[in-house]
Amino acid sequence: MTTVIATVVIPCLNEAGSLPGVLAAMPPGFTALVVDNNSTDGTADVARAHGARVVHERVPGYGSAVHAGVVAADTDIVCVLDGDGSMDPGELVSMVDALADADLVVGRRRAVRASGWPWHARVGNTVLAARLRQRLNIDVHDIGPVRACRRQQLLDLGVSDRRSGYPLQLLVLAARANWRIVERDITYRPRTAGKSKVSGSVKGSAIAIWDFWKAIP
Ligand SMILES: Nc1nc2c(ncn2[C@@H]2O[C@H](COP(=O)(O)OP(=O)(O)O)[C@@H](O)[C@H]2O)c(=O)[nH]1
Ligand SMILES: [Mg+2]
């Protein structure tokens, strides 16, 4: 039997179409924990049918789902990855390895096709990352949704944003707590099915920018 190395928390809102591919790509030793956030497309059933453990979270929002998954995880190391097929779970292996010399390993998205990453999201991300480098002296270039860290250390950090500001607030609090933050390049593709809930729509982008703005020190 393969030893479990880490739990991969996958926040999901209507990702039934992309989840099978994401779960099939889970590397040995990485166990998937799908957090279903009021999906209406059978996401939870699809996740279970493809071998994932499922947790339900009623309070909407990306941060809400991620937090519920981290709380429910039962491994020392937790990873977080989107359920839309835009990232490769296989790349989590080297990220977890990098935890030997780090407290937080964040994926820096490298787009393979520009259309998968709307220009407004990309520009906002670049500007915010530059601000974090300048204000907090951390070497990050992406407010990335893929990360690996230690579960209890993350819970103790007290990230309170329950919407799309979660990734930024995590970086801010980690920097303030003098965490060793390391970035690793990851491949970023267009989602394989379904619709974007965050940066792909004007409303989603507006909510994300507001959430990010509140989280900036
Ligand atoms: N559980 C949950 N997941 C969410 C919510 N909003 C977004 N997600 C998930 O977070 C991940 C990133 O969202 P996505 O729509 O791909 O955002 P984008 O990459 O900025 O277009 C996906 O796995 C979504 O299903 C939410 O309110 N609840
Ligand atoms: Mg996406």
Side-chain angles (χ1 to χ4, degrees):
M1 216 180 99
T2 315
T3 317
V4 176
I5 300 163
T7 301
V8 183
V9 172
I10 310 177
C12 284
L13 175 59
N14 294 332
E15 300 293 5
S18 11
L19 259 183
V22 177
L23 297 175
M26 213 49 68
F30 287 66
T31 179
L33 172 53
V34 166
V35 185
D36 176 29
N37 215 190
N38 309 313
S39 295
T40 53
D41 69 344
T43 285
D45 291 339
V46 168
R48 270 188 290 266
H50 289 82
R53 183 182 156 202
V54 176
V55 166
H56 294 276
E57 172 54 54
R58 285 197 176 279
V59 179
Y62 170 86
S64 176
V66 170
H67 180 67
V70 173
V71 169
D74 53 9
T75 51
D76 289 342
I77 295 176
V78 289
C79 303
V80 179
L81 179 98
D82 287 352
D84 64 353
S86 60
M87 301 129 184
D88 176 6
E91 293 182 336
L92 292 171
V93 176
S94 69
M95 289 179 64
V96 166
D97 284 347
L99 275 179
D101 301 305
D103 299 299
L104 175 65
V105 183
V106 189
R108 176 181 183 178
R109 290 170 288 178
R110 299 293 197 168
V112 292
R113 225 173 72 199
S115 59
W117 203 350
W119 68 268
H120 42 92
R122 200 189 279 241
V123 169
N125 192 58
T126 303
V127 170
L128 287 165
R131 194 174 162 107
L132 287 184
R133 288 199 300 280
Q134 185 195 21
R135 298 279 287 258
L136 298 169
N137 200 26
I138 52 174
D139 190 26
V140 294
H141 300 80
D142 190 6
I143 316 296
V146 182
R147 61 193 80 95
C149 62
R150 291 174 191 83
R151 177 180 176 274
Q152 193 57 52
Q153 205 181 355
L154 174 60
L155 290 173
D156 292 344
L157 199 60
V159 181
S160 58
D161 195 300
R162 294 291 175 257
R163 302 199 304 183
S164 39
Y166 181 103
L168 184 86
Q169 193 196 28
L170 169 58
L171 287 172
V172 170
L173 295 179
R176 286 205 188 126
N178 291 318
W179 279 25
R180 295 162 299 167
I181 303 171
V182 165
E183 231 178 18
R184 281 278 182 281
D185 282 356
I186 56 156
T187 317
Y188 191 47
R189 296 190 168 80
R191 59 164 47 248
T192 50
K195 287 199 183 105
S196 163
K197 287 101 212 172
V198 184
S199 62
S201 69
V202 174
K203 186 181 166 207
S205 273
I207 291 171
I209 288 164
W210 172 238
D211 286 346
F212 280 161
W213 183 253
K214 284 188 300 180
I216 288 178

